[in-house]
Amino acid sequence: MKDSRIELGSAVSRVKVLFPMPLFKAYDYLTPPGPPPPPGAFVRAPFGPREAYGVVWPDAADEGVPAEKLKSITAAAPAPPLPSDVIEFIAWTARYTMFPLGSVLRMTMRSGDMLAAPAMQTGYVRSEQVPERLTPQRERALAAAGAAAQSAAAIAEAAGVSDGVVRGLAKAGGLRAVDIDPDPPFASPDLAAPGPELSAEQRAAADRLIAPVLERRHQAMLIDGVTGSGKTEVYLEAAAEALRADPEAQVLILLPEIALTLPFLKRVESRFNAAPAPWHSDMTAAARRRTWRRVAEGQARLVVGARSALFLPFAKLRLIIVDEEHDNAYKQEDGVIYHARDLSVARGALGQFPVILASATPSLETVVNIDEGRYGAVGLPSRFSGASLPDIRLVDMRQESMETGRWLSPALTREVDANLSAGEQSMLFLNRRGYAPLTLCRRCGHKMTAPDSDTMLVEHRFENRLVCHHTGFSMPKPDACPNCNAVGSLAPCGPGVERVAEEAAMRWPDKTIGVFSSDTAPGPRAMREMLDAMAHGAIDIMIATQVAAKGHHFPDLTLVGVVDADLGLAGGDLRAAERTYQLLAQVTGRAGRAAKPGRALLQTYQPEAAVFQALSSGDRNAFLAAEAGARQRYGFPPYGRLAAILLRGRDEAALETAANSLKRAAPRGDGVEVLGPARAPIYRLRGEARMRFLVKARRDVNLQAYLNDWLPRVKTPASVRRIVDIDPYSFL
Ligand code: ADP
């Protein structure tokens, strides 16, 4: 057992147990005879009518309750106890996000399904014996088997035979059955394997990152480097150092998106001659359990994963790296609402280890943390290959003569023509899935909306359906307007990627055009295949939403055209300009990453906007300074604190009453402003009405304490759900 054993009085053995359920506290239990399980131990205990897995929580048990009223823990689970820094992190996260402690624990242990020790499986190795009757199929199976044990299914698949052939071969003596661990250990990273030789600039950056790793102190640091500057190589060097410095240390690398995660796993594997332990949504239950158990044992030393990997039960986490730290995908909006970048820094502070953030377009939050001395920063100002950053030009759409129903300006099509004749690849970027974002009846003006939501249905022409991008609702596109019954009157308005593809196919009929969005490449593997086709030059013009635009390396891509640069600014929440800058810098950064120089054109109706001026002049810092100034003036994050409260329910009257009584109960708070209640921009969603509050506070105000004082004063009716979102990123 690990570090955190405490001595409970020998007379009474009672402990607190927390269950992975929406519970705000742990409950008292008696322990079976023998030494009590230490804090962090996974146990089974009766809870309500059932038994459930839970964790011994380090709060003092309540000695006042008579023992006969308490139930007893029934069993210990075969997994190492959670270390104290994981427990502290769970408790900290619950306090910060204001979600129930048990809900946060659930992110670490799910329902406990990882805990049941899996049964050993039967595997096969080659035996010395050669069976008498060797059919060609058996020969193939024999060739596929080796000295390392593999399951019958794995051998059968490699040999292209049925499982039965493998079992038959084993019966005949050609294979020997052995037990195999269903959760095989991960190969150890090869820490002697040399990484690439770093440039002087990269070496200096790596050394500064490594210092706090070796000194075992907490420090958050940003690698601020343009795309292609070698940020990844530099932080992998720091990861190697952390693993070398302590033979039990574990390192976690977080990536924002699964489409980036899969190729990244390969890259890390070739750097360390060992595949890292993965953690993302596209894994089987068995693969998840393997990573979970091996991480808990401390055997998996290098973990690469999506934001939820932060809650894995690391035995000895010593470094976290958050790549693309500015990416909004780090904000989890379902269940417990949290921001994985911010929580990573908190995790490092609790575990006393460094956290490395990496980005070419850091978030304003991080930049201000650096300016005010809380975070450190290292810079990598130039691309490693020496390639220059793309030249970015603004196309003033007010000056272009556009035909109706066309979205590519003459200025942009001329550049695509030039690129095609030079045999180079182009990308047309539009961050909008489907064919058209709005379907309108030309007769009566009816807009097609989702049946129980205030959201527009987006036409998807490949499937001939209308789809709600907020809820996933979809329906076949009707022939007649549901409002006035006019036939053939429903007209698409505005472009999505499919419509731009249609225009491109018309303009360049003999070229290969690929449409990249989460609809055309559903799932990470399909996406991977399309990205490979692009990288190998099989596509002339790629029409893409952001899924394909981030992080990928296409050597022959030299032109990026942004079809509607203004798109992200519409509806303007407080981060709209910042997000637009980050996204467009990323997207345009795809051009000219190899030998050939790249260029980008942004189609906009407001070329004078600060964000476009900054992009075209390449003056990121001036833009950040202007953004920071505006946020400071209005007291918005990071200069002030923000929390959103969402109330939702089917009973609109009850919802409104609840919102108004909550408003009346709001205590006066120094430096706190309660805005709302107001109808949410998407008022009806999935049949529920939604109302919002925004709580704005000075930076020195303890916002959670204010909310904890306020919210319990009002009991919301059962028909209304109340959700608190600390540091909100979504205002819909
Ligand atoms: P970033 O993460 O900043 O986008 P990468 O680390 O991916 O940059 O580096 C960009 C490319 O340059 C990669 O192909 C990488 O392997 C290569 N590269 C970077 N630094 C070096 C180096 N010191 N030696 C060799 N190749 C390097």
Side-chain angles (χ1 to χ4, degrees), residues 292-313:
W292 194 93
R293 293 178 67 92
R294 294 301 181 181
V295 165
E297 282 167 15
Q299 193 279 324
R301 300 196 60 206
L302 186 54
V303 180
V304 172
R307 59 184 182 222
S308 58
L310 190 56
F311 287 93
L312 284 169

Side-chain angles (χ1 to χ4, degrees), residues 196-199 202 226-233 267 384:
E197 194 176 326
L198 298 183
S199 68
Q202 291 174 335
V226 297
T227 43
S229 58
K231 293 187 292 299
T232 311
E233 300 295 353
R267 181 168 175 183
F384 178 77

Side-chain angles (χ1 to χ4, degrees), residues 618-631:
D619 195 348
R620 183 192 85 184
N621 292 344
F623 171 69
L624 284 173
E627 271 294 292
R631 299 247 196 117

Side-chain angles (χ1 to χ4, degrees), residues 2 38 88 92 129 235 261 289 320 329 331 365 404 427 441 445 478 527 533 546 556 561 565 576 598 673:
K2 291 254 156 47
E88 282 170 32
W92 187 92
Q129 219 177 312
Y235 72 60
T261 307
R289 190 193 56 209
I320 302 177
K331 177 84 189 202
E365 275 74 7
T404 44
M427 173 160 89
C441 173
M527 178 57 70
Q546 60 161 350
D556 287 323
E673 219 182 318

